[in-house]
PDB file of all heavy atoms in Angstrom:
ATOM      1  N   ASP S 291     188.643-110.855 162.045  1.00 91.00           N
ATOM      2  CA  ASP S 291     190.038-111.052 161.551  1.00 91.00           C
ATOM      3  C   ASP S 291     190.241-112.514 161.231  1.00 91.00           C
ATOM      4  O   ASP S 291     190.329-113.352 162.180  1.00 91.00           O
ATOM      5  CB  ASP S 291     190.963-110.575 162.669  1.00 91.00           C
ATOM      6  CG  ASP S 291     192.432-110.728 162.229  1.00 91.00           C
ATOM      7  OD1 ASP S 291     192.658-111.235 161.105  1.00 91.00           O
ATOM      8  OD2 ASP S 291     193.350-110.436 163.048  1.00 91.00           O
ATOM      9  N   ASP S 293     192.704-114.194 160.400  1.00 90.00           N
ATOM     10  CA  ASP S 293     193.983-114.709 160.827  1.00 90.00           C
ATOM     11  C   ASP S 293     194.158-114.749 162.366  1.00 90.00           C
ATOM     12  O   ASP S 293     195.203-115.216 162.859  1.00 90.00           O
ATOM     13  CB  ASP S 293     195.141-113.818 160.233  1.00 90.00           C
ATOM     14  CG  ASP S 293     195.205-113.890 158.721  1.00 90.00           C
ATOM     15  OD1 ASP S 293     195.070-114.968 158.185  1.00 90.00           O
ATOM     16  OD2 ASP S 293     195.308-112.789 158.132  1.00 90.00           O
ATOM     17  N   ALA S 294     193.118-114.369 163.079  1.00 91.00           N
ATOM     18  CA  ALA S 294     193.154-114.358 164.546  1.00 91.00           C
ATOM     19  C   ALA S 294     193.141-115.836 165.036  1.00 91.00           C
ATOM     20  O   ALA S 294     192.494-116.736 164.388  1.00 91.00           O
ATOM     21  CB  ALA S 294     191.989-113.552 165.093  1.00 91.00           C
ATOM     22  N   PRO S 295     193.803-116.095 166.087  1.00 91.00           N
ATOM     23  CA  PRO S 295     193.874-117.471 166.633  1.00 91.00           C
ATOM     24  C   PRO S 295     192.454-118.022 166.979  1.00 91.00           C
ATOM     25  O   PRO S 295     192.249-119.259 166.828  1.00 91.00           O
ATOM     26  CB  PRO S 295     194.686-117.324 167.892  1.00 91.00           C
ATOM     27  CG  PRO S 295     195.504-116.120 167.723  1.00 91.00           C
ATOM     28  CD  PRO S 295     194.623-115.188 166.916  1.00 91.00           C
ATOM     29  N   ASP S 296     191.551-117.143 167.372  1.00 88.00           N
ATOM     30  CA  ASP S 296     190.191-117.547 167.787  1.00 88.00           C
ATOM     31  C   ASP S 296     189.178-117.394 166.623  1.00 88.00           C
ATOM     32  O   ASP S 296     187.996-117.417 166.827  1.00 88.00           O
ATOM     33  CB  ASP S 296     189.743-116.829 169.015  1.00 88.00           C
ATOM     34  CG  ASP S 296     189.687-115.385 168.821  1.00 88.00           C
ATOM     35  OD1 ASP S 296     190.224-114.855 167.794  1.00 88.00           O
ATOM     36  OD2 ASP S 296     189.058-114.625 169.641  1.00 88.00           O
ATOM     37  N   ALA S 297     189.699-117.228 165.404  1.00 89.00           N
ATOM     38  CA  ALA S 297     188.804-117.019 164.252  1.00 89.00           C
ATOM     39  C   ALA S 297     187.943-118.289 164.043  1.00 89.00           C
ATOM     40  O   ALA S 297     188.426-119.405 164.167  1.00 89.00           O
ATOM     41  CB  ALA S 297     189.561-116.677 163.027  1.00 89.00           C
ATOM     42  N   PRO S 298     186.668-118.149 163.733  1.00 89.00           N
ATOM     43  CA  PRO S 298     185.788-119.266 163.505  1.00 89.00           C
ATOM     44  C   PRO S 298     186.199-120.091 162.251  1.00 89.00           C
ATOM     45  O   PRO S 298     186.726-119.568 161.301  1.00 89.00           O
ATOM     46  CB  PRO S 298     184.365-118.719 163.317  1.00 89.00           C
ATOM     47  CG  PRO S 298     184.642-117.294 162.893  1.00 89.00           C
ATOM     48  CD  PRO S 298     185.859-116.812 163.538  1.00 89.00           C
ATOM     49  N   ALA S 299     185.957-121.431 162.399  1.00 86.00           N
ATOM     50  CA  ALA S 299     186.281-122.297 161.312  1.00 86.00           C
ATOM     51  C   ALA S 299     184.960-122.614 160.511  1.00 86.00           C
ATOM     52  O   ALA S 299     183.961-122.844 161.165  1.00 86.00           O
ATOM     53  CB  ALA S 299     186.915-123.607 161.797  1.00 86.00           C
TER      54      ALA S 299
END
Side-chain angles (χ1 to χ4, degrees):
D291 178 0
D293 296 315
D296 59 347

